Amino acid sequence: MQPIIDAGVLVSDAQALEALLQALFDTEEGADGGGALVDGFPRTRIQVDYLRLLADKLNRLHVKNAQFPQRAQFFPRCVFKVVVLYVDEEESVRRQIGRGKMAAEFCMRAEEAGLRALAPGKMQQHGPRTTDSTEAAARRRYAIFKQHYGTLLKLSEHFPFHLIDAMGSVAECEAQIARELSYQSSLDLNEGTYNAIKHIPLSNDLVALSRQQLVVRLDEYCQQHPRTFSQVVALIQRQVIPQLRRCALAGYAIFESTDSLFIDHPMATDMLIDILSDRGFSVAHQIKTQQVPVKVDTDGIIESHTYAFQHFRISFEKPVVRGKGRGPTEVENEQSLTISNLESLGEKAQQEIARGARKAIQYQGFANDEGQGEAHLKDHEWEKHMGYSD
């Protein structure tokens, strides 16, 4: 792994995840179960997915073992806090080169004091990094990290955080980090509230095995109840599909039935729902009743019969019949909203992000009524929009 690190590139996902688990759970390495500070992780989308799965697994173990006092202490509630610092390329290169010089001076003083022979491992740990030795190596390392900016966007889908401008002093960065951690803590339930509702399963847990369970049920219907299953399939083709075709543009259809199949075979309702679910529809079902007058006597008293019927609401993706294209104004407004989120960053940080984003938002406008025309947001227009040029 060291040659990869020396080259300034990212180690593989497998190596990164193995190192993380070892640091978290290997007691011989000093892990005590009281928490951990992880730097430089996650770097890739796969690592983000892994972190989410790890958080879900740890919290499921917490809920599962909470009722056993002797085991609960080994499965505490898992809480993640994310802090993302940003500096521009020039500042990053300056700091990397400076770190390399400081490490080289440390090793030189240690060598003079004769400490290298006493603690060679420590000397290697605090020695200068290969990527800190030259400006080219430092810039290459910064470029690699910028390539994975999309990872931060994916990470924010699961763990809320704000980008912190680290261009200032250490004290300023500490203050921003403290505010960010305080904000994230305000999003967490307190322990009493969390314990009161934690036994209610998460939506992810409820649907995790839904596809596999659906397949099992359909196979059982076909193998153990072939006659009823065939009747339900025929009913769908004969009555449901025509209704779905009539309502294809609406995104949903209502199907109501008093067919004796649902009375004689209660399982037929589940079969219909599962068959349509397998074909990509979402189905909600109710048994509704309706009062139907059948007789009125001379005193004006109405005699009614109550009829029950099956009510299915079948939903599906609604097609776009006449889409509305987005012109230059809409796209520019969206970019303005995005940039407004960066107001908390320093000027240099904003300029650096703007230069990268500028190249990504050149677009070709939708054709006008005559099918002609295209619009491009030029570099100088973008800088003017951002306030960096007159």
Side-chain angles (χ1 to χ4, degrees), residues 197-237:
I197 66 174
K198 66 183 180 183
H199 63 282
I200 299 177
L202 298 173
S203 60
N204 291 342
D205 296 333
L206 288 177
V207 302
L209 300 177
S210 58
R211 173 60 187 171
Q212 293 91 326
Q213 294 170 346
L214 174 63
V215 170
V216 171
R217 290 197 302 271
L218 288 172
D219 286 341
E220 288 181 351
Y221 297 151
C222 187
Q223 296 169 9
Q224 300 179 16
H225 309 277
R227 180 178 175 81
T228 304
F229 188 70
S230 297
Q231 291 176 325
V232 172
V233 171
L235 182 143
I236 291 174
Q237 293 176 323

Side-chain angles (χ1 to χ4, degrees), residues 236-237 239-255 276 279 281-283 312-316:
I236 291 174
Q237 293 176 323
Q239 299 183 29
V240 178
I241 297 302
Q243 183 71 356
L244 292 174
R245 287 201 172 101
R246 282 192 292 270
C247 302
L249 299 179
Y252 76 95
I254 301 298
F255 171 66
L276 292 177
R279 310 319 293 168
F281 298 94
S282 298
V283 185
F312 299 90
R313 190 183 196 278
I314 306 169
S315 303
F316 44 89

Side-chain angles (χ1 to χ4, degrees), residues 275-297:
I275 291 171
L276 292 177
S277 297
D278 179 74
R279 310 319 293 168
F281 298 94
S282 298
V283 185
H285 170 254
Q286 287 181 284
I287 298 179
K288 292 189 173 184
T289 58
Q290 183 176 5
Q291 299 287 335
V292 179
V294 295
K295 182 189 299 184
V296 180
D297 62 18

Side-chain angles (χ1 to χ4, degrees), residues 43-55:
R43 294 290 193 194
T44 67
R45 292 177 176 268
I46 291 178
Q47 292 175 19
V48 170
D49 289 335
Y50 182 87
L51 185 62
R52 177 182 59 81
L53 293 173
L54 177 63

Side-chain angles (χ1 to χ4, degrees), residues 300-318:
I301 298 177
I302 301 175
E303 180 181 343
S304 300
H305 284 177
T306 299
Y307 292 91
F309 59 94
Q310 312 293 326
H311 176 92
F312 299 90
R313 190 183 196 278
I314 306 169
S315 303
F316 44 89
E317 185 175 356
K318 182 179 179 180

Side-chain angles (χ1 to χ4, degrees), residues 63-93:
V63 173
K64 180 180 179 180
N65 293 278
Q67 56 184 320
F68 305 105
Q70 293 182 342
R71 286 190 288 176
Q73 58 180 322
F74 300 109
F75 299 94
R77 178 185 175 190
C78 180
V79 178
F80 285 77
K81 307 295 182 187
V82 179
V83 175
V84 179
L85 308 181
Y86 174 85
V87 295
D88 64 25
E89 182 173 356
E90 297 305 321
E91 180 65 13
S92 175
V93 171

